[in-house]
Amino acid sequence: MSLSHVLLTSLLEKPSTGFELARRFDRSMGFFWNASHQQIYRELNNMMGKGWISTIEEESEHSRKKTYQVEQPGRVELADWLIQKSEPAQLREDLMVRLRAEAQLGGNQILLELERH
């Protein structure tokens, strides 16, 4: 699993600014995957370059806020990753994030992998 899959799952749950993502990450996904705020922002830039996410920019007097959202190529990447096999292990980050991604994508594609674990 990579940080990009964690971030795609979080953004599918709710489009967010980098700051909001980092805060949510600390409170939820951080239990499955560790990443600094700097790593999160760097990965968001990489994902933008791949076309997986885009931004909605809101300008106000005091700031320019970028809200990140998942684009179709990001959904395809997450769906492809979701059905990949991983080695059975203690229930921890990889499988738990896949379950969360499945909740967003639907389709019960992860059932065979859950049975295997």
Side-chain angles (χ1 to χ4, degrees):
M1 179 176 65
S2 70
L3 179 55
S4 60
H5 297 116
V6 176
L7 294 174
L8 284 169
T9 300
S10 289
L11 288 171
L12 276 176
E13 292 171 343
K14 181 181 178 187
S16 304
T17 64
F19 179 75
E20 291 166 342
L21 261 177
R23 284 186 54 213
R24 284 183 31 231
F25 193 94
D26 289 344
R27 293 190 320 253
S28 62
M29 290 295 207
F31 294 113
F32 311 124
W33 190 266
N34 294 320
S36 69
H37 292 198
Q38 181 181 13
Q39 289 171 311
I40 291 170
Y41 282 102
R42 186 172 38 240
E43 191 61 32
L44 287 170
N45 284 330
N46 289 337
M47 292 164 58
M48 292 262 304
K50 293 176 180 177
W52 293 355
I53 61 173
S54 64
T55 59
I56 305 165
E57 294 194 33
E58 301 172 28
E59 290 193 35
S60 69
E61 290 180 28
H62 305 290
S63 69
R64 275 185 27 199
K65 190 173 17 171
K66 289 182 183 178
T67 299
Y68 296 91
Q69 62 186 3
V70 179
E71 296 298 333
Q72 188 59 30
R75 287 178 172 274
V76 169
E77 170 59 28
L78 192 59
D80 288 347
W81 170 76
L82 183 65
I83 60 172
Q84 290 177 8
K85 293 187 185 223
S86 60
E87 290 302 313
Q90 294 178 336
L91 290 179
R92 55 184 200 136
E93 66 267 288
D94 194 34
L95 183 59
M96 302 309 281
V97 175
R98 285 175 197 249
L99 285 171
R100 232 173 138 161
E102 173 71 23
Q104 294 301 309
L105 294 173
N108 294 322
Q109 297 178 49
I110 197 167
L111 290 177
L112 291 175
E113 186 68 358
L114 279 174
E115 289 173 359
R116 199 169 70 84
H117 281 264

